[in-house]
Amino acid sequence: MSAAVASSSLLPELIQHFSHIITVFLMVSGLYIVIARGNLIKKLVGLSVFQTSVYLLYIAPGKIIGGTAPILASQYGVYSNPLPHVLILTAIVVGVATLALGLTLAVRLREAYGTIEEDEILALDQQAELEE
Amino acid sequence: MSLAAHLPVLQVVVPLLSAPLAVLVRHGGLAFGLVTAAAWAAFAMAIGLWFQVGESGTVTYHIGSWPPPWGIEYRVDRLASFVLVLVSGVAAVVLPYSRACVGREIAREQHYLYYAMFALCLAGLLGIVITGDAFNLFVFLEISSLSTYVLIALGRDRRALAASYRYLIMGSIGATFIVIGIGFLYLMTGTLNLVDMGTRLSGVENSRPVLVALAFLTVGICLKLALFPLHQWLPNAYTYAPSAVTAFLAATATKVSVYVLIRFYFTVFGESLVFHKLPLPEIMLWLSLMAMFGASAVALFQNNLKRLFAYSSVGQIGYITLGLSFDSVYGLTASVLHLFNHGLAKGAIFLLIGGLVLGLGRSGGGHGQPTLDRIAGLGRRMPITCLGIFLAGLSLIGVPGTAGFLTKWYLILAALEQGQYWLVAAVLLSSLLAVAYVWRFVEVAWFRPSAREEAGQDEVRHEAPRALLVPAWLLVLASLWFGLDTSFTVSSALDAAEALVGSGR
């Protein structure tokens, strides 16, 4: 009985905050992948997901349902703020550059170590340090 | 408008433009000339701005003539001008050094790319300091970070690649935390201008999004400035990067992050929120103490000279954040002073270690790492180089007569002012750890026989090339000079601290 009451008040709440829930879900899962995975490529995938969640954080509140682009004319009254979109355009470029650089480093690491598993790279480094 | 009115924007644009030009000329020597000229021009402009701020107070510049809350504003106050002088000055000294150094550490066809990346990194760091716009700050942060990852990966050892990758992951997480924080602030205030944000926050400063923003920004920036438990990227990055890169990063990158932290705490959030309503000062205090003792103790047990001083950097950052945690004029003065003094001393040390590595390579030891048994007896082969490291080391310890002493002095004043006598003891005790690790170097370099002496031969004097020694010694002398003549550093730091703490928020 009480569970039904809780769910009936929870559902509209969930729908209302849908974009935030998705944002936090992506954010946390991305961060988890970066930390939990040892594969260099998978880490970058996680990093990308993490960065992408931020795009939603900015974009979703900037959109007003029924809002138009900021055109100053009498027939349009409600505008969506264009600034978050511009900011995120910049952030996307930064994200792409980071991902590209990260993948480049992964390729170079593969050439130098013969592996893209973090634990194997660490083991090789430790071996080198003992020999030094 | 005269040229002087455009100094704030030229400060960033000149190094920024020199980067694509360096790529276009595709020639190591020409790229070197371009980027070095740009760095010296930036240094001259930073000094010009320092004087402008002294004459007419805070300098503001509206990009494209758009007025501040809408357009991007460049804003130079006392603190910003002081950090600009440090960053551009170190770049102007390190670049001539690079010329002699990269020839041996980086493949010839990559030289022009090295200079381009260096210019980008410099432009990014200067931009972070000068901009008054939160999102612009993030973009400059990423410009400097991305070029830093490349510069570190240029190191010869394959471990440089692993260090660079690690820094990329941690740095990007830090930067993303910073954008999340800025995003929350933007949602709450509807502005990106830092000063405007500060005034608009006054109505909503206790709301949860603002506290979340504070948390995200603090963690993100502390990752960048390598506060104690978040420092894991730093030791390997400093150890395996090319010598000139290590020196430049150690002297500037973490310092600029400290600047960002001060900017957000005092200009945006205001001290009453950061220091009086949250237990942030206590957390900062304990993390700083852990850095001062923990990281310095780890430094003691390092076998690689570069890594030893990298851990010492983590420890020294503890002093900077300790000063911040006091939330007083003296404490903040100590922080601002130490980011300058430590920048000079650590820059000098890493430049000179580059000279040592070169000397090791010549004696047939390969281009290996400066491990302690390899540098045994080097005090007799390269006396001037080793003397420089020793003198800069004195500044790390905080011996009277060196720049480092001033920092300790103001830290102790700040602790006494608040009646925390045990902190005075902590500052002095942690300095003893610095004595211990600097002495380790002295003992190995002067009192241990080198391989050649053990074989019964006399050690031949063989200094690092003059092109390496002159820039490095410039920084050594600067860190001695600013220990004796305190008019520039102390007055700037005091002015900056008074303006920030006394702003009444």
Side-chain angles (χ1 to χ4, degrees), chain B residues 461-472:
Chain B
R461 219 185 124 178
H462 207 127
E463 280 297 340
R466 208 164 294 161
L468 298 188
L469 279 181
V470 172

mmCIF file with all atom_site columns, all heavy atoms in Angstrom, chain B residues 461-472:
data_model
loop_
_atom_site.group_PDB
_atom_site.id
_atom_site.type_symbol
_atom_site.label_atom_id
_atom_site.label_alt_id
_atom_site.label_comp_id
_atom_site.label_asym_id
_atom_site.label_entity_id
_atom_site.label_seq_id
_atom_site.pdbx_PDB_ins_code
_atom_site.Cartn_x
_atom_site.Cartn_y
_atom_site.Cartn_z
_atom_site.occupancy
_atom_site.B_iso_or_equiv
_atom_site.pdbx_formal_charge
_atom_site.auth_seq_id
_atom_site.auth_comp_id
_atom_site.auth_asym_id
_atom_site.auth_atom_id
_atom_site.pdbx_PDB_model_num
ATOM 1  N N   . ARG B 1 461 ? 87.242 17.522 -14.874 1.00 0.00 ? 461 ARG B N   1
ATOM 2  C CA  . ARG B 1 461 ? 86.147 18.488 -14.807 1.00 0.00 ? 461 ARG B CA  1
ATOM 3  C C   . ARG B 1 461 ? 85.487 18.612 -16.160 1.00 0.00 ? 461 ARG B C   1
ATOM 4  O O   . ARG B 1 461 ? 86.144 18.807 -17.167 1.00 0.00 ? 461 ARG B O   1
ATOM 5  C CB  . ARG B 1 461 ? 86.693 19.842 -14.361 1.00 0.00 ? 461 ARG B CB  1
ATOM 6  C CG  . ARG B 1 461 ? 85.707 20.491 -13.411 1.00 0.00 ? 461 ARG B CG  1
ATOM 7  C CD  . ARG B 1 461 ? 86.155 21.856 -13.045 1.00 0.00 ? 461 ARG B CD  1
ATOM 8  N NE  . ARG B 1 461 ? 85.069 22.743 -13.396 1.00 0.00 ? 461 ARG B NE  1
ATOM 9  C CZ  . ARG B 1 461 ? 85.098 24.038 -13.186 1.00 0.00 ? 461 ARG B CZ  1
ATOM 10 N NH1 . ARG B 1 461 ? 86.150 24.605 -12.679 1.00 0.00 ? 461 ARG B NH1 1
ATOM 11 N NH2 . ARG B 1 461 ? 84.066 24.772 -13.501 1.00 0.00 ? 461 ARG B NH2 1
ATOM 12 N N   . HIS B 1 462 ? 84.189 18.440 -16.173 1.00 0.00 ? 462 HIS B N   1
ATOM 13 C CA  . HIS B 1 462 ? 83.490 18.452 -17.454 1.00 0.00 ? 462 HIS B CA  1
ATOM 14 C C   . HIS B 1 462 ? 82.082 18.992 -17.225 1.00 0.00 ? 462 HIS B C   1
ATOM 15 O O   . HIS B 1 462 ? 81.182 18.247 -16.884 1.00 0.00 ? 462 HIS B O   1
ATOM 16 C CB  . HIS B 1 462 ? 83.429 17.018 -17.998 1.00 0.00 ? 462 HIS B CB  1
ATOM 17 C CG  . HIS B 1 462 ? 83.347 16.994 -19.477 1.00 0.00 ? 462 HIS B CG  1
ATOM 18 N ND1 . HIS B 1 462 ? 84.206 16.279 -20.257 1.00 0.00 ? 462 HIS B ND1 1
ATOM 19 C CD2 . HIS B 1 462 ? 82.515 17.627 -20.323 1.00 0.00 ? 462 HIS B CD2 1
ATOM 20 C CE1 . HIS B 1 462 ? 83.903 16.470 -21.530 1.00 0.00 ? 462 HIS B CE1 1
ATOM 21 N NE2 . HIS B 1 462 ? 82.877 17.280 -21.593 1.00 0.00 ? 462 HIS B NE2 1
ATOM 22 N N   . GLU B 1 463 ? 81.932 20.311 -17.373 1.00 0.00 ? 463 GLU B N   1
ATOM 23 C CA  . GLU B 1 463 ? 80.647 20.926 -17.051 1.00 0.00 ? 463 GLU B CA  1
ATOM 24 C C   . GLU B 1 463 ? 79.602 20.646 -18.129 1.00 0.00 ? 463 GLU B C   1
ATOM 25 O O   . GLU B 1 463 ? 79.931 20.244 -19.251 1.00 0.00 ? 463 GLU B O   1
ATOM 26 C CB  . GLU B 1 463 ? 80.807 22.448 -16.947 1.00 0.00 ? 463 GLU B CB  1
ATOM 27 C CG  . GLU B 1 463 ? 81.378 22.920 -15.638 1.00 0.00 ? 463 GLU B CG  1
ATOM 28 C CD  . GLU B 1 463 ? 80.503 22.600 -14.443 1.00 0.00 ? 463 GLU B CD  1
ATOM 29 O OE1 . GLU B 1 463 ? 79.301 22.351 -14.619 1.00 0.00 ? 463 GLU B OE1 1
ATOM 30 O OE2 . GLU B 1 463 ? 81.044 22.587 -13.323 1.00 0.00 ? 463 GLU B OE2 1
ATOM 31 N N   . ALA B 1 464 ? 78.348 20.890 -17.768 1.00 0.00 ? 464 ALA B N   1
ATOM 32 C CA  . ALA B 1 464 ? 77.285 20.895 -18.774 1.00 0.00 ? 464 ALA B CA  1
ATOM 33 C C   . ALA B 1 464 ? 77.550 22.076 -19.710 1.00 0.00 ? 464 ALA B C   1
ATOM 34 O O   . ALA B 1 464 ? 78.208 23.044 -19.334 1.00 0.00 ? 464 ALA B O   1
ATOM 35 C CB  . ALA B 1 464 ? 75.936 21.054 -18.099 1.00 0.00 ? 464 ALA B CB  1
ATOM 36 N N   . PRO B 1 465 ? 77.063 22.009 -20.962 1.00 0.00 ? 465 PRO B N   1
ATOM 37 C CA  . PRO B 1 465 ? 77.305 23.110 -21.901 1.00 0.00 ? 465 PRO B CA  1
ATOM 38 C C   . PRO B 1 465 ? 76.788 24.443 -21.359 1.00 0.00 ? 465 PRO B C   1
ATOM 39 O O   . PRO B 1 465 ? 75.847 24.480 -20.571 1.00 0.00 ? 465 PRO B O   1
ATOM 40 C CB  . PRO B 1 465 ? 76.518 22.702 -23.141 1.00 0.00 ? 465 PRO B CB  1
ATOM 41 C CG  . PRO B 1 465 ? 76.103 21.308 -22.952 1.00 0.00 ? 465 PRO B CG  1
ATOM 42 C CD  . PRO B 1 465 ? 76.316 20.924 -21.555 1.00 0.00 ? 465 PRO B CD  1
ATOM 43 N N   . ARG B 1 466 ? 77.457 25.536 -21.792 1.00 0.00 ? 466 ARG B N   1
ATOM 44 C CA  . ARG B 1 466 ? 77.092 26.847 -21.264 1.00 0.00 ? 466 ARG B CA  1
ATOM 45 C C   . ARG B 1 466 ? 75.647 27.205 -21.600 1.00 0.00 ? 466 ARG B C   1
ATOM 46 O O   . ARG B 1 466 ? 74.966 27.864 -20.833 1.00 0.00 ? 466 ARG B O   1
ATOM 47 C CB  . ARG B 1 466 ? 78.041 27.898 -21.831 1.00 0.00 ? 466 ARG B CB  1
ATOM 48 C CG  . ARG B 1 466 ? 78.209 29.086 -20.917 1.00 0.00 ? 466 ARG B CG  1
ATOM 49 C CD  . ARG B 1 466 ? 79.414 29.902 -21.297 1.00 0.00 ? 466 ARG B CD  1
ATOM 50 N NE  . ARG B 1 466 ? 80.656 29.172 -21.082 1.00 0.00 ? 466 ARG B NE  1
ATOM 51 C CZ  . ARG B 1 466 ? 81.818 29.495 -21.668 1.00 0.00 ? 466 ARG B CZ  1
ATOM 52 N NH1 . ARG B 1 466 ? 81.869 30.486 -22.510 1.00 0.00 ? 466 ARG B NH1 1
ATOM 53 N NH2 . ARG B 1 466 ? 82.908 28.809 -21.425 1.00 0.00 ? 466 ARG B NH2 1
ATOM 54 N N   . ALA B 1 467 ? 75.172 26.758 -22.758 1.00 0.00 ? 467 ALA B N   1
ATOM 55 C CA  . ALA B 1 467 ? 73.802 27.083 -23.164 1.00 0.00 ? 467 ALA B CA  1
ATOM 56 C C   . ALA B 1 467 ? 72.780 26.521 -22.175 1.00 0.00 ? 467 ALA B C   1
ATOM 57 O O   . ALA B 1 467 ? 71.662 27.007 -22.087 1.00 0.00 ? 467 ALA B O   1
ATOM 58 C CB  . ALA B 1 467 ? 73.518 26.517 -24.558 1.00 0.00 ? 467 ALA B CB  1
ATOM 59 N N   . LEU B 1 468 ? 73.171 25.480 -21.431 1.00 0.00 ? 468 LEU B N   1
ATOM 60 C CA  . LEU B 1 468 ? 72.270 24.944 -20.405 1.00 0.00 ? 468 LEU B CA  1
ATOM 61 C C   . LEU B 1 468 ? 72.480 25.652 -19.076 1.00 0.00 ? 468 LEU B C   1
ATOM 62 O O   . LEU B 1 468 ? 71.544 25.905 -18.326 1.00 0.00 ? 468 LEU B O   1
ATOM 63 C CB  . LEU B 1 468 ? 72.516 23.447 -20.205 1.00 0.00 ? 468 LEU B CB  1
ATOM 64 C CG  . LEU B 1 468 ? 72.281 22.518 -21.378 1.00 0.00 ? 468 LEU B CG  1
ATOM 65 C CD1 . LEU B 1 468 ? 72.379 21.075 -20.916 1.00 0.00 ? 468 LEU B CD1 1
ATOM 66 C CD2 . LEU B 1 468 ? 70.933 22.763 -21.983 1.00 0.00 ? 468 LEU B CD2 1
ATOM 67 N N   . LEU B 1 469 ? 73.769 25.960 -18.793 1.00 0.00 ? 469 LEU B N   1
ATOM 68 C CA  . LEU B 1 469 ? 74.077 26.509 -17.475 1.00 0.00 ? 469 LEU B CA  1
ATOM 69 C C   . LEU B 1 469 ? 73.536 27.909 -17.297 1.00 0.00 ? 469 LEU B C   1
ATOM 70 O O   . LEU B 1 469 ? 73.018 28.255 -16.242 1.00 0.00 ? 469 LEU B O   1
ATOM 71 C CB  . LEU B 1 469 ? 75.587 26.512 -17.264 1.00 0.00 ? 469 LEU B CB  1
ATOM 72 C CG  . LEU B 1 469 ? 76.183 25.186 -16.838 1.00 0.00 ? 469 LEU B CG  1
ATOM 73 C CD1 . LEU B 1 469 ? 77.678 25.333 -16.629 1.00 0.00 ? 469 LEU B CD1 1
ATOM 74 C CD2 . LEU B 1 469 ? 75.528 24.696 -15.559 1.00 0.00 ? 469 LEU B CD2 1
ATOM 75 N N   . VAL B 1 470 ? 73.638 28.745 -18.365 1.00 0.00 ? 470 VAL B N   1
ATOM 76 C CA  . VAL B 1 470 ? 73.266 30.156 -18.203 1.00 0.00 ? 470 VAL B CA  1
ATOM 77 C C   . VAL B 1 470 ? 71.784 30.311 -17.835 1.00 0.00 ? 470 VAL B C   1
ATOM 78 O O   . VAL B 1 470 ? 71.476 30.953 -16.831 1.00 0.00 ? 470 VAL B O   1
ATOM 79 C CB  . VAL B 1 470 ? 73.644 30.963 -19.460 1.00 0.00 ? 470 VAL B CB  1
ATOM 80 C CG1 . VAL B 1 470 ? 73.091 32.364 -19.382 1.00 0.00 ? 470 VAL B CG1 1
ATOM 81 C CG2 . VAL B 1 470 ? 75.160 30.994 -19.606 1.00 0.00 ? 470 VAL B CG2 1
ATOM 82 N N   . PRO B 1 471 ? 70.842 29.694 -18.602 1.00 0.00 ? 471 PRO B N   1
ATOM 83 C CA  . PRO B 1 471 ? 69.431 29.852 -18.184 1.00 0.00 ? 471 PRO B CA  1
ATOM 84 C C   . PRO B 1 471 ? 69.159 29.290 -16.794 1.00 0.00 ? 471 PRO B C   1
ATOM 85 O O   . PRO B 1 471 ? 68.453 29.911 -15.990 1.00 0.00 ? 471 PRO B O   1
ATOM 86 C CB  . PRO B 1 471 ? 68.659 29.046 -19.236 1.00 0.00 ? 471 PRO B CB  1
ATOM 87 C CG  . PRO B 1 471 ? 69.577 28.868 -20.370 1.00 0.00 ? 471 PRO B CG  1
ATOM 88 C CD  . PRO B 1 471 ? 70.952 28.906 -19.829 1.00 0.00 ? 471 PRO B CD  1
ATOM 89 N N   . ALA B 1 472 ? 69.767 28.135 -16.495 1.00 0.00 ? 472 ALA B N   1
ATOM 90 C CA  . ALA B 1 472 ? 69.500 27.520 -15.196 1.00 0.00 ? 472 ALA B CA  1
ATOM 91 C C   . ALA B 1 472 ? 70.003 28.410 -14.070 1.00 0.00 ? 472 ALA B C   1
ATOM 92 O O   . ALA B 1 472 ? 69.317 28.632 -13.074 1.00 0.00 ? 472 ALA B O   1
ATOM 93 C CB  . ALA B 1 472 ? 70.153 26.149 -15.140 1.00 0.00 ? 472 ALA B CB  1
#
